[in-house]
Amino acid sequence: MLLKNALLCDAFKECKADLRVDEERGIISEIGENLAPQSAESVLECSGKVILPALIDMAYPKNQVLSRKNLESLTQKALRGGVGSLLLRPESTPRIDHAAIIELVSSLDSSLSVHFLPSLAPTTLESPESKPKIAEIASLIASGARAIYLESSAQNIDGYTLYKIAQYAQMLQVPIIASPQEPSLSEGVMNESQVSAQLGLPAIPPLAQTMQVAKLCELARYSGTRWVFDVISEVESLQTIAHFTQMGAQILAQTSLHHLILSDEHCAAFDTRFKLFPPLKDPATREQLRAHLDSGISLLTCLQSDSYKSKKDQVFEFASFGINALEHYFSLGFSHLVKSGLITLQRFSELTSYAQARLLSLPKGALEVGLDADLIIVDLQESFCVEDTFSPYNGERLSGVVTQVLLGGKIKSL
């Protein structure tokens, strides 16, 4: 298949060119100007459109049932949002802590359009009262797990066990993804600020994140392991990460798209659509986070939660955390970050595709010959209105529409 007359954009370039896909091997086979169609080759005219690597997201939510029905629903949302690959958290039902569960994910992945990549839980629990035991990490990685994921409950794992997990990660050359949040300080429902005080709601202080970041940074430095800190929302956390990075630690910060767009002021009317975890921050912190988009923040996530509707219609204290944003991921990022001038489209591609591919050792994430032909074709001039009463973006007009998605060189139905 030959894609003609598009603007090609990835983390490294933005140029007008044609792109050829080898559909049998599912890879990009040629890039150049004025490429001529080969015998019987299909041609897709892309004039006025932009071709980018498909997005990769690493924050599929916990407590989801690993079933074909759930993943099929997620697949359609992902395709509409320009996402071609999703890393599954191990906090699911069943929990991803045995090779058989990874085989289940691989089986489901092979029959669905979007690529589902398992991460593993590094500990197993024989009973709720028992002490966590280190899982068969080497076996799970050999079965296909792409990363070790420290669940929120993992903050209670003792230091020795955490160190042994980090040693396994170093030996097997896989990253550790952690959500640094102290559970005992995270029992509130929104950010600790003037807004929470005015509303009289129990709050989550910045310390809940910053103290865990400092602890895990030292473990990352000492062990020499690659780490990703998930949904960093405190500027002090970014400063701590930068300090330890200068000392040789290999740490990347991932931030939610919504923490760069929204603030806790949106919660002022007890609007549960804006109840996220970690909670949205005050406007000043949001602006400081935005200032770190060129450096400091290494990855973005849309923080998708498929359970977001379950209790959103209750009072704020009892409403569920979460947001449904996967199907609008590219458009939200383009409208609020790129079109507004905060970052370039190239940087957005790096934050949402290339960085994830490099971290997980995936042969994708850039427009280069020999890489997987996981591509999205977008019309940056086209716009649409969000129609989802549970979404914080309901009624907002977004620019940048994903018109087609190619995964493995094949066009997928949106």
Side-chain angles (χ1 to χ4, degrees):
M1 182 188 301
L2 181 61
L3 281 58
K4 291 283 293 181
N5 302 315
L7 180 67
L8 306 187
C9 181
D10 64 10
F12 306 101
K13 59 185 171 295
E14 187 172 311
C15 61
K16 188 75 173 290
D18 302 334
L19 184 148
R20 174 169 280 120
V21 171
D22 184 327
E23 296 182 65
E24 289 187 5
R25 294 191 292 165
I27 64 171
I28 299 170
S29 59
E30 189 176 5
I31 297 174
E33 296 182 9
N34 302 316
L35 297 181
Q38 298 174 350
S39 176
E41 182 178 35
S42 59
V43 177
L44 184 60
E45 178 56 51
C46 300
S47 180
K49 306 285 181 61
V50 181
I51 298 176
L52 302 102
L55 279 58
I56 303 170
D57 198 41
M58 301 202 310
Y60 182 62
K62 62 182 181 180
N63 300 331
Q64 298 302 300
V65 175
L66 288 179
S67 67
R68 181 182 299 276
K69 180 181 178 181
N70 284 347
L71 294 187
E72 282 179 346
S73 173
L74 191 67
T75 290
Q76 289 307 307
K77 293 178 181 179
L79 291 174
R80 289 193 291 269
V83 178
S85 301
L86 284 158
L87 185 74
L88 298 177
R89 293 189 184 190
E91 297 173 283
S92 58
T93 305
R95 190 167 179 260
I96 307 176
D97 57 4
H98 288 86
I101 309 305
I102 292 180
E103 291 174 8
L104 169 64
V105 173
S106 298
S107 174
L108 293 171
D109 172 63
S110 65
S111 63
L112 297 169
S113 298
V114 170
H115 303 299
F116 290 99
L117 311 167
S119 59
L120 66 90
T123 59
T124 59
L125 290 174
E126 295 180 357
S127 68
E129 297 80 20
S130 64
K131 185 178 179 180
K133 291 185 176 181
I134 296 179
E136 297 291 336
I137 295 177
S139 175
L140 294 172
I141 295 298
S143 297
R146 292 283 180 171
I148 296 171
Y149 203 105
L150 285 181
E151 302 149 297
S152 55
S153 59
Q155 309 304 333
N156 294 322
I157 297 176
D158 63 79
Y160 174 79
T161 302
L162 279 175
Y163 180 47
K164 296 301 291 185
I165 291 169
Q167 286 183 313
Y168 274 111
Q170 173 67 2
M171 178 180 66
L172 298 168
Q173 290 298 292
V174 294
I176 298 176
I177 303 173
S179 298
Q181 202 77 16
E182 168 56 45
S184 64
L185 292 172
S186 302
E187 297 178 356
V189 297
M190 68 172 297
N191 179 50
E192 183 181 72
S193 67
Q194 184 177 351
V195 177
S196 65
Q198 291 172 342
L199 297 178
L201 291 172
I204 301 174
L207 183 65
Q209 181 177 106
T210 57
M211 69 182 297
Q212 284 294 336
V213 165
K215 169 185 172 181
L216 295 178
C217 273
E218 176 60 10
L219 179 57
R221 183 199 66 80
Y222 189 82
S223 65
T225 311
R226 290 180 296 154
W227 288 70
V228 174
F229 290 170
D230 188 27
V231 198
I232 292 300
S233 57
E234 301 292 345
V235 177
E236 290 80 2
S237 295
L238 291 175
Q239 293 169 343
T240 301
I241 292 169
H243 173 72
F244 276 87
T245 300
Q246 290 175 353
M247 292 194 294
Q250 301 178 68
I251 307 170
L252 300 176
Q254 176 168 266
T255 297
S256 145
L257 183 66
H258 317 294
H259 287 77
L260 299 166
I261 298 174
L262 308 170
S263 74
D264 62 357
E265 290 188 342
H266 290 94
C267 303
F270 296 96
D271 193 333
T272 61
R273 295 178 302 163
F274 300 93
K275 185 178 179 181
L276 306 181
F277 189 84
L280 294 172
K281 312 307 294 185
D282 59 90
T285 300
R286 179 191 59 191
E287 295 307 310
Q288 290 176 311
L289 287 174
R290 288 178 176 180
H292 284 81
L293 273 168
D294 283 329
S295 63
I297 294 173
S298 301
L299 310 99
L300 292 179
T301 175
C302 72
L303 206 62
Q304 172 70 12
S305 174
D306 276 9
S307 61
Y308 73 103
K309 288 185 178 180
S310 59
K311 296 180 181 178
K312 279 293 186 184
D313 56 352
Q314 297 194 20
V315 296
F316 201 96
E317 277 196 71
F318 301 108
S320 56
F321 291 100
I323 187 171
N324 180 40
L326 191 62
E327 61 187 312
H328 303 138
Y329 190 8
F330 177 83
S331 302
L332 281 168
F334 176 74
S335 298
H336 287 278
L337 304 183
V338 179
K339 192 175 181 180
S340 66
L342 284 174
I343 56 174
T344 65
L345 188 58
Q346 284 182 245
R347 177 61 174 161
F348 181 70
S349 182
E350 180 179 9
L351 290 168
T352 57
S353 186
Y354 178 71
Q356 289 82 354
R358 182 174 55 181
L359 176 78
L360 301 174
S361 301
L362 302 174
K364 56 188 72 185
L367 303 180
E368 296 179 7
V369 172
L371 294 185
D372 290 352
D374 285 9
L375 314 170
I376 58 174
I377 303 173
V378 299
D379 188 335
L380 301 183
Q381 305 306 315
E382 192 175 344
S383 64
F384 67 97
C385 188
V386 177
E387 296 180 1
D388 180 357
T389 55
F390 286 94
S391 170
Y393 305 103
N394 184 47
E396 184 175 337
R397 180 159 290 277
L398 300 177
S399 300
V401 175
V402 178
T403 60
Q404 286 172 308
V405 177
L406 283 75
L407 296 180
K410 295 178 173 58
I411 297 177
K412 302 300 178 180
S413 176
L414 301 185

